């Protein structure tokens, strides 16, 4: 299933596109923001690690035929986060290895505007068409009510308790289409 680059997706307010060097400063700032990292490891991501995460997203497309998009506001061209699919080979119980795992992370100033739901819906439409509608998973911190709402709105119907890095996490599943 190996592919190449991320296809460009457009919604009413967003453009989902490949990562660009110009995304890095906003990406690093977002991952160091307490309103973001409280649900992603509960500590700020160092600039060096933010760089690795950004460039790692580029490799997903080449290795798996799916990956993450940078999300930008159509009206301004501003990078506001990421959405996409991966197989991070997570050591968690139950295992989700080999199943596309969807994730999304948007800058705090965009929260509560429905942008995450819009981006997730676009990614899932692409997955249904390009990948044949496989089962998709998502893991979410139990305290992240906003992301839980996004997952449920997007059709992730199964919610189960899981363990990742020794900590409880919620595992959501969207059935194959």
């Amino acid at each position: 299933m190996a592919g190449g680059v991320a296809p460009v997706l457009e919604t009413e307010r967003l453009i989902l596109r490949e990562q660009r060097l110009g995304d890095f400063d906003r990406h690093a700032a977002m991952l160091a923001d307490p309103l973001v990292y409280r649900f992603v490891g509960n500590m700020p991501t160092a600039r060096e690690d933010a760089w690795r995460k950004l460039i790692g997203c580029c490799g997903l497309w080449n290795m798996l035929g799916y990956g993450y998009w940078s999300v930008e506001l159509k009206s301004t061209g501003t990078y506001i986060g990421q959405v996409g699919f991966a197989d991070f080979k997570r050591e968690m119980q139950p295992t989700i290895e080999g199943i596309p795992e969807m994730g999304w992370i948007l800058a705090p100033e965009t929260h509560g505007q429905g942008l995450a739901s819009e981006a997730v819906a676009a990614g899932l439409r692409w997955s249904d068409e390009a990948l044949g509608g496989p089962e998709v998973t998502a893991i979410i911190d139990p305290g992240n009510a906003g992301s839980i709402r996004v997952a449920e709105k997007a059709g992730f119907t199964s919610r189960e308790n899981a363990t990742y890095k020794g900590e409880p996490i919620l595992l959501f599943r969207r059935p194959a289409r």
Side-chain angles (χ1 to χ4, degrees):
M1 180 189 301
V5 298
V8 175
L9 307 179
E10 289 193 37
T11 70
E12 181 182 339
R13 300 179 290 172
L14 304 172
I15 296 174
L16 282 62
R17 54 153 176 85
E18 65 200 18
Q19 287 74 29
R20 297 182 186 149
L21 184 59
D23 298 337
F24 177 60
D25 286 333
R26 286 193 50 84
H27 177 73
M30 179 181 66
L31 294 180
D33 189 307
L35 294 174
V36 171
Y37 72 69
R38 66 185 168 155
F39 297 124
V40 186
N42 204 25
M43 52 189 306
T45 301
R47 187 171 167 81
E48 172 182 348
D49 294 328
W51 173 248
R52 285 188 185 105
K53 288 180 180 210
L54 186 68
I55 62 174
C57 289
C58 301
L60 289 168
W61 287 99
N62 200 28
M63 297 288 288
L64 301 174
Y66 56 83
Y68 272 73
W69 290 271
S70 284
V71 179
E72 72 176 44
L73 288 174
K74 195 183 278 189
S75 62
T76 64
T78 303
Y79 170 92
I80 61 166
Q82 296 183 321
V83 66
F85 305 92
D87 181 353
F88 290 122
K89 309 295 184 202
R90 295 187 192 274
E91 293 182 19
M92 63 178 281
Q93 291 301 320
T95 185
I96 57 173
E97 191 168 327
I99 303 170
E101 174 192 341
M102 188 167 209
W104 51 90
I105 186 165
L106 271 65
E109 65 271 15
T110 68
H111 294 178
Q113 300 175 39
L115 295 170
S117 291
E118 192 171 321
V120 166
L124 287 168
R125 280 191 301 275
W126 174 85
S127 170
D128 289 346
E129 183 178 305
L131 303 179
E135 176 186 27
V136 176
T137 63
I139 61 171
I140 302 174
D141 183 286
N144 193 341
S147 277
I148 291 169
R149 281 192 302 276
V150 170
E152 290 172 343
K153 185 176 177 181
F156 288 83
T157 57
S158 173
R159 178 166 128 171
E160 53 194 278
N161 294 318
T163 304
Y164 178 56
K165 294 187 176 181
E167 297 293 324
I169 194 92
L170 294 176
L171 172 60
F172 288 80
R173 296 179 188 269
R174 180 178 178 259
R177 302 288 169 178

